[in-house]
Amino acid sequence: MKRIFLTLCLGISLMTGWAQVEAKYGVGSVPVTNGRVMFQDTITTVLSKEVAYEKISAWAKTRFNKPNVIISKFITDDAQNQQLSLTAEEYMVFTNKFFVLDRTRINYWIEIQCHENFTTLKLTRINYWYEEEREGGLKFSAEEFITDENAFNKKGKLLKEQGKFRKGTIDFFDRCVAEMTKVLND
């Protein structure tokens, strides 16, 4: 009897755990604005917009520079308006095991705006270059691959290839938000 009860509890906890993890990547988790994938988040802080900008600017110049990225270009670095925008390219790794390296190049545009007591982060213009070493590889945009219309089959199940790009991109954005939150609140 105990064995059946423990098996049942374990099964329920595993199913609940999977549902929570997969919900993060489910329908509606990739926001589309005016036909373009655009991730956006607001980070609250107790800092003034000037101090927040100084911290974020220093972080961005380290984070979006070699060796962390392949290439980056700061488009806007406006201390007067506390605004920062850049374009960058880096590797997004799906699998890194002995003899197996599955990764893609991800190109993106980031906009950061500091306000009094909060900072906004936007990630948009996302493009991928997958398997670049194979005859030039495959190039496609987030709009073509990770949106709800393209990432799920008719039964509502996440497709394998699109799923790994969708999960990788959502996790990438979440890491950027976490890094910025740490910088602003330390």
Side-chain angles (χ1 to χ4, degrees):
M1 188 67 162
K2 284 183 182 180
R3 200 175 269 184
I4 293 172
F5 180 72
L6 288 174
T7 305
L8 183 61
C9 288
L10 179 63
I12 291 171
S13 66
L14 285 175
M15 288 173 42
T16 306
W18 284 330
Q20 289 173 351
V21 171
E22 291 302 310
K24 176 180 176 182
Y25 309 111
V27 174
S29 62
V30 175
V32 178
T33 305
N34 296 326
R36 186 171 288 275
V37 171
M38 183 186 307
F39 292 93
Q40 184 172 346
D41 204 349
T42 301
I43 302 162
T44 57
T45 182
V46 295
L47 303 175
S48 69
K49 60 185 178 180
E50 293 82 12
V51 174
Y53 178 78
E54 288 175 19
K55 286 186 160 200
I56 289 299
S57 181
W59 165 78
K61 287 177 179 150
T62 302
R63 167 60 179 88
F64 299 105
N65 209 338
K66 290 183 179 182
N68 300 326
V69 297
I70 299 166
I71 190 168
S72 68
K73 181 179 179 185
F74 283 80
I75 307 300
T76 307
D77 191 355
D78 186 358
Q80 188 174 9
N81 294 314
Q82 296 80 34
Q83 185 177 8
L84 185 71
S85 61
L86 62 103
T87 182
E89 178 179 343
E90 65 185 89
Y91 285 110
M92 186 167 62
V93 178
F94 305 119
T95 305
N96 189 5
K97 296 180 183 175
F98 193 67
F99 288 123
V100 177
L101 177 60
D102 186 15
R103 67 182 183 182
T104 187
R105 286 185 186 216
I106 179 173
N107 298 305
Y108 53 88
W109 179 281
I110 284 191
E111 296 176 18
I112 302 169
Q113 178 71 55
C114 297
H115 302 277
E116 214 56 47
N117 300 322
F118 71 95
T119 299
T120 59
L121 169 68
K122 293 180 185 175
L123 174 69
T124 189
R125 300 181 191 176
I126 304 166
N127 293 292
Y128 309 98
W129 185 11
Y130 186 56
E131 295 183 340
E132 62 193 85
E133 61 281 347
R134 289 189 187 178
E135 300 174 11
L138 304 168
K139 293 183 179 183
F140 46 89
S141 68
E143 291 79 15
E144 297 172 314
F145 213 61
I146 68 168
T147 58
D148 291 347
E149 296 80 28
N150 298 314
F152 293 93
N153 65 16
K154 292 178 183 176
K155 295 180 181 178
K157 185 177 177 187
L158 190 60
L159 299 171
K160 184 177 180 180
E161 284 297 309
Q162 289 87 335
K164 74 179 177 182
F165 282 86
R166 184 178 176 103
K167 289 175 181 179
T169 306
I170 291 169
D171 290 344
F172 172 76
F173 180 69
D174 288 348
R175 279 192 304 275
C176 286
V177 170
E179 289 173 20
M180 283 182 57
T181 301
K182 185 176 181 191
V183 167
L184 289 171
N185 294 317
D186 276 352

